[in-house]
Amino acid sequence: RIRHFAKNMRREPTDAEAAMWRLLRDRRLSQNKFRRQVPFQKFILDFVCFEKRVVIEIDGSQYAESARDTARDSILMAEGFRIERYWNNDVLQQPSDVLEDIFAKLAEP
């Protein structure tokens, strides 16, 4: 069920998700491989680089201070992932700034 939902999300991304995917796909970011809309445990991760253990989430204002996101982040951090969140607006209006920030985060140990 979750895999089917993730597949549908890949087919119909939001504008911000589509913009982010154009930035991350094809190992464009220092040869780091990202996958999108990936089922992981009981969640769907927007973008993930398993090699660097980095999850990138693209959020709208409806997710501000979400208790569900906090619980999910705790589980992901326990699994060794770092979670980076970007607002839809930032991805759409300042993609180079977002990309630069992601690049810097990937360089961190």
Side-chain angles (χ1 to χ4, degrees):
R1 177 172 148 88
I2 193 169
R3 294 184 79 178
H4 179 72
F5 187 57
K7 190 174 183 178
N8 285 338
M9 290 175 71
R10 282 191 295 272
R11 270 194 227 125
E12 298 177 21
T14 65
D15 291 343
E17 289 169 346
M20 180 60 82
W21 185 235
R22 284 191 295 276
L23 298 173
L24 298 176
R25 65 184 290 184
D26 297 330
R27 297 181 187 260
R28 292 180 183 169
L29 205 53
S30 296
Q31 295 299 308
N32 290 293
K33 180 177 177 65
F34 279 88
R35 295 174 55 200
R36 64 185 172 132
Q37 304 302 341
V38 178
F40 183 81
Q41 293 187 10
K42 59 183 179 181
F43 311 109
I44 296 176
L45 309 177
D46 287 348
F47 302 93
V48 62
C49 176
F50 283 106
E51 180 182 338
K52 296 283 187 168
R53 306 296 283 181
V54 172
V55 173
I56 296 176
E57 291 293 316
I58 310 301
D59 292 335
S61 60
Q62 72 272 22
Y63 293 105
E65 305 297 323
S66 166
R68 187 171 189 270
D69 280 353
T70 302
R72 182 174 85 155
D73 289 356
S74 296
I75 291 168
L76 290 170
M77 286 187 287
E79 292 284 337
F81 287 96
R82 289 182 299 168
I83 299 94
E84 304 299 333
R85 292 189 179 282
Y86 299 95
W87 294 107
N88 290 342
N89 241 14
D90 293 336
V91 173
L92 294 170
Q93 295 177 5
Q94 303 167 355
S96 59
D97 292 344
V98 170
L99 193 59
E100 187 176 315
D101 189 61
I102 293 169
F103 186 75
K105 301 285 169 105
L106 289 171
E108 293 175 2

